[in-house]
Amino acid sequence: MKKIPMLINGEWVHASMEALLDVMNPSTGEVIAQITNASKTHVDKAVRAARVAFESEEWRKIKAYERGQLLVEFAHYIRKHAEEWSLLECRDVGKPLTQARADIEAAARYFEFLWGAADKVMGDTIPIEDGILNAVVLEPVGITVHIVPWNYPIQITARSVAAAIATGNAVIVKSAEDTPLTTHAITEWFAGKLPRGIFQHITGLGREVGPYLTSHPDINHITFTGSVPTGIAVMKSAAENVVPVTLELGGKSPNIVFADANMEQALDGVVRAIIQNAGQTCSAGARLLIEESVKETFIAQLVQKFQALKVGPGEADVDMGPLLNERQYTKISTLLQKAKEDGYVVTGGETLTIEGYEKGYYVEPTILAGVEANDALAQEEIFGPVLTVLTFTTVEEAIALANSTDYGLVAGVWSKDIDTAHYVASRVQAGQVFINNYGAAGGIQMPFGGYKKSGIGREKGFVALRNYTQMKNIAIRYAPPNQI
Ligand code: NAD
């Protein structure tokens, strides 16, 4: 059995037998690796090493453009190993191979996108008065902690690590206990390229190891992606030490389809937005808001598309893979059972047994209709392939429904009417709005984050660099030589 070590202070650290945790392949239910459940001592050691490394002359002397070159070198390395890493991600998360390949490509693109930015994190000068040069400089924050969830391990590691290394920080990544494999692959590369302590990888149970990290008094920034309750816990813990956080906490994102939309485009967009990664996506289009006049035809065609979807193991590369683990499977199948009893299921609603993969966590892609807008099924993040349909008759009603949850991550608007589309985009409370598409181009360059309980701050794009820098104002008085 492959045992995945942690990287602490430049050394590979293995657990004692009793601190090992199993990592499963969700497609087969088989154990594929084991990780260490880190102790508080491991975390303390990593933070100490990060502090020493961050303040070392060795790290300070590496020029900004050299950090950039390292990022692009890594992007090339990722591409060279793309197929091998796609298989790792596919086995670890259960996602279809094509989706895993897209994740690996996106990871390469995060490093590529920021490589040229590393030496362009520029400050400013402010005119004050004659005899004072006032400079604003952007410095790295110091030790950045990256708590990565299990749904997009390599992408979510890449998007924040690229920005943190570009700006000169010491990075500690805590991978999700279920999905450490690609983060380990990243760690193997950085271990040979960066001074010891600049890149470290901690593994273990989030609810145990997470708080050791988030409450540590010597860290300087936390980026967390996951659920709202855990995000709140992370924020409370960080508040004790006045440590800033960037939180990305999921959503209940609407696809708003107007009667004048290009229906074929909208249908494909709505399907893709909910079945990608079996609906275990923070930006999943989990609600369909459909204009009443086209409801029947749209749903009928949607049902056909859902019923044509193939569900199977990630490596078979069909349309949809399994759920992540038994916990997700129990949560979703219980919810589907109840939805069936309540008469909401239009199609799907069942668990699936795939021949040869009987221990995998498969469920049918499901459409629910007839649900009240304030029902939990229309309000709470399900994190499975479950689409909840609501209807509207006016533009204002569509906007009110779109904004009727605690979340505000993403929204899709489908209409050929430029006025309607722009007006709705301007009124929807969401960090990203897509008009006549959903998730354009993977979004590497676009600021990503939420309104309301979907989070705080933005990852991706150039704006992510701000998370990992702090501003210092330096005022310099000068005078003619004879007046000194
Ligand atoms: P979670 O928010 O509890 O955990 C997310 C990750 O954070 C885990 O992989 C874990 O390693 C770590 N973690 C857990 N507790 C922590 C703590 N106290 N301090 C620091 N880190 C901690 O989510 P989950 O239990 O993995 O999944 C439950 C639900 O959360 C899902 O069904 C879904 O609704 C939501 N979720 C959302 C996202 C997203 O992309 N926004 C990702 C994962 C889960």
Side-chain angles (χ1 to χ4, degrees):
M1 182 58 56
K2 190 171 167 55
K3 292 191 173 53
I4 308 286
M6 302 191 285
L7 182 69
I8 299 176
N9 196 21
E11 279 164 19
W12 295 111
V13 178
H14 285 276
S16 57
M17 284 309 285
E18 62 275 16
L20 284 174
L21 303 171
D22 289 341
V23 177
M24 300 237 297
N25 177 342
S27 296
T28 62
E30 285 164 8
V31 177
I32 50 172
Q34 288 181 312
I35 53 164
T36 292
N37 192 23
S39 64
K40 187 164 185 319
T41 310
H42 287 130
V43 170
D44 288 343
K45 205 171 158 193
V47 175
R48 248 193 332 271
R51 180 58 59 200
V52 171
F54 176 67
E55 286 173 3
S56 69
E57 285 301 303
E58 187 186 8
W59 184 232
R60 280 177 199 271
K61 289 263 162 16
I62 296 178
K63 299 179 181 74
Y65 81 87
E66 291 171 335
R67 293 197 304 269
Q69 283 172 335
L70 192 84
L71 298 186
V72 77
E73 194 189 324
F74 186 41
H76 294 326
Y77 180 86
I78 295 176
R79 289 225 173 79
K80 220 166 114 194
H81 293 81
E83 202 48 30
E84 181 194 327
W85 286 25
S86 302
L87 263 173
L88 277 184
E89 198 78 326
C90 162
R91 289 182 185 143
D92 214 7
V93 189
K95 57 180 67 184
L97 209 41
T98 300
Q99 290 176 34
R101 287 189 184 115
D103 288 0
I104 304 302
E105 172 60 17
R109 300 235 294 115
Y110 282 116
F111 286 99
E112 210 166 55
F113 177 68
L114 288 181
W115 79 273
D119 61 352
K120 295 168 197 70
V121 181
M122 289 182 274
D124 214 346
T125 58
I126 301 173
I128 305 289
E129 60 185 54
D130 188 37
I132 293 182
L133 172 64
N134 192 74
V136 178
V137 293
L138 296 173
E139 298 187 336
V141 291
I143 301 176
T144 59
V145 169
H146 306 242
I147 299 182
V148 179
W150 43 262
N151 51 348
Y152 289 82
I154 193 162
Q155 277 213 50
I156 294 176
T157 303
R159 76 185 185 195
S160 64
V161 165
I165 295 287
T167 44
N169 295 280
V171 163
I172 302 177
V173 181
K174 154 73 179 71
S175 54
E177 50 270 43
D178 298 282
T179 57
L181 300 186
T182 46
T183 306
H184 175 61
I186 290 179
T187 307
E188 282 184 316
W189 191 84
F190 275 117
K193 298 284 177 181
L194 287 169
R196 61 163 55 204
I198 290 297
F199 187 100
Q200 304 184 87
H201 179 201
I202 297 283
T203 58
L205 291 171
R207 64 176 181 275
E208 289 178 16
V209 183
Y212 299 152
L213 271 166
T214 57
S215 65
H216 200 291
D218 200 28
I219 61 163
N220 303 109
H221 180 268
I222 301 167
T223 180
F224 169 84
T225 303
S227 64
V228 172
T230 308
I232 292 170
V234 166
M235 199 171 171
K236 281 186 178 165
S237 160
E240 291 295 324
N241 295 304
V242 197
V243 166
V245 292
T246 305
L247 303 177
E248 197 261 274
L249 306 179
K252 189 75 175 175
S253 299
N255 259 310
I256 310 166
V257 180
F258 287 89
D260 70 344
N262 175 327
M263 288 302 165
E264 202 44 48
Q265 245 180 32
L267 280 162
D268 285 345
V270 168
V271 174
R272 264 205 317 278
I274 188 62
I275 66 142
Q276 183 171 313
N277 201 26
Q280 302 168 121
T281 302
C282 44
S283 55
R287 289 183 299 153
L288 166 64
L289 312 187
I290 180 83
E291 191 162 350
E292 184 70 41
S293 60
V294 290
K295 173 184 143 186
E296 272 175 31
T297 46
F298 195 86
I299 294 180
Q301 290 177 64
L302 202 57
V303 167
Q304 279 182 14
K305 290 201 182 270
F306 265 56
Q307 291 176 349
L309 292 169
K310 290 207 164 41
V311 181
E315 281 180 64
D317 203 18
V318 287
D319 300 307
M320 200 180 92
L323 297 170
L324 176 85
N325 57 19
E326 195 171 344
R327 193 158 51 97
Q328 282 289 111
Y329 180 78
T330 307
K331 175 183 150 187
I332 308 292
S333 50
T334 308
L335 179 146
L336 291 179
Q337 184 58 38
K338 171 87 173 46
K340 244 178 356 191
E341 286 161 18
D342 292 339
Y344 296 139
V345 174
V346 178
T347 185
E350 301 290 338
T351 57
L352 283 170
T353 306
I354 309 278
E355 205 185 325
Y357 298 89
E358 288 77 5
K359 289 190 182 152
Y361 305 110
Y362 301 95
V363 296
E364 286 181 332
T366 298
I367 299 176
L368 307 178
V371 176
E372 292 294 323
N374 59 2
D375 191 296
L377 293 170
Q379 289 288 322
E380 289 168 17
E381 191 173 46
I382 294 176
F383 231 54
V386 183
L387 178 69
T388 303
V389 182
L390 300 165
T391 57
F392 64 87
T393 49
T394 65
V395 171
E396 294 303 338
E397 201 186 340
I399 294 166
L401 274 177
N403 293 338
S404 68
T405 74
D406 283 344
Y407 292 102
L409 193 59
V410 173
V413 185
W414 302 83
S415 170
K416 286 189 198 145
D417 184 315
I418 193 167
D419 290 315
T420 304
H422 279 283
Y423 176 69
V424 173
S426 78
R427 294 297 189 270
V428 165
Q429 295 158 356
Q432 280 188 338
V433 182
F434 294 99
I435 297 177
N436 295 328
N437 77 92
Y438 197 88
I444 309 304
Q445 307 92 329
M446 303 170 191
F448 180 65
Y451 278 38
K452 302 192 281 185
K453 285 192 179 162
S454 284
I456 295 177
R458 299 291 180 266
E459 293 283 6
K460 305 189 181 187
F462 285 128
V463 78
L465 296 168
R466 286 198 200 155
N467 300 330
Y468 305 100
T469 56
Q470 55 193 335
M471 200 174 270
K472 182 182 277 174
N473 190 92
I474 306 177
I476 308 151
R477 182 175 290 287
Y478 59 89
N482 59 355
Q483 290 179 28
I484 294 171

